[in-house]
Amino acid sequence: QVQLVESGGGLVQPGGSLRLSCAASGIIFSGYAMNWYRQAPGKQRELVAGITSGLSTNYADAVKGRFTISRDNAKKTVYLQMNSLKPEDTAVYYCNANRALISIDYWGKGILVTVSS
């Protein structure tokens, strides 16, 4: 049974930082690209950041220079360090495990990040 469990969300003031974690089980973690998506109220889900099995990373323009994605294959965990947070970063953040070659996607349940004073 595959599980992706996000943690680390919550309420933070503008300019603050949070670190999201996503712990995976039931998959060969090192073989998957891992991604963070987010969905704000009334908006479509969007890709925030991704990291491949080979440690290549990519970021949405809106978060470049502020967010950093990383992974620890030994712990089967992917992280999203979010700095200089803005109110427009408020969203539910979802962890995604992707193996494009065999068209497999797994999703976490999501975690709320609220940036507000």
Side-chain angles (χ1 to χ4, degrees), residues 2-19:
V2 178
Q3 281 192 310
L4 300 177
V5 180
E6 300 99 338
S7 61
L11 174 65
V12 63
Q13 292 188 341
S17 298
L18 281 176
R19 188 175 83 153

Side-chain angles (χ1 to χ4, degrees), residues 58-97:
N58 62 285
Y59 297 91
D61 287 344
V63 307
K64 279 180 183 175
R66 301 189 297 122
F67 290 12
T68 303
I69 189 170
S70 61
R71 65 191 295 163
D72 185 332
N73 287 343
K75 294 183 179 180
K76 296 188 177 181
T77 300
V78 62
Y79 305 97
L80 186 68
Q81 178 66 44
M82 305 186 293
N83 299 329
S84 302
L85 282 160
K86 304 174 181 180
E88 50 264 44
D89 295 317
T90 295
V92 176
Y93 284 71
Y94 295 90
C95 178
N96 165 262

Side-chain angles (χ1 to χ4, degrees), residues 2 7 14 29 35-39 64 69 83 86-87 105:
V2 178
S7 61
F29 182 80
N35 304 295
W36 287 98
Y37 286 76
R38 68 185 180 187
Q39 187 166 18
K64 279 180 183 175
I69 189 170
N83 299 329
K86 304 174 181 180
D105 270 299

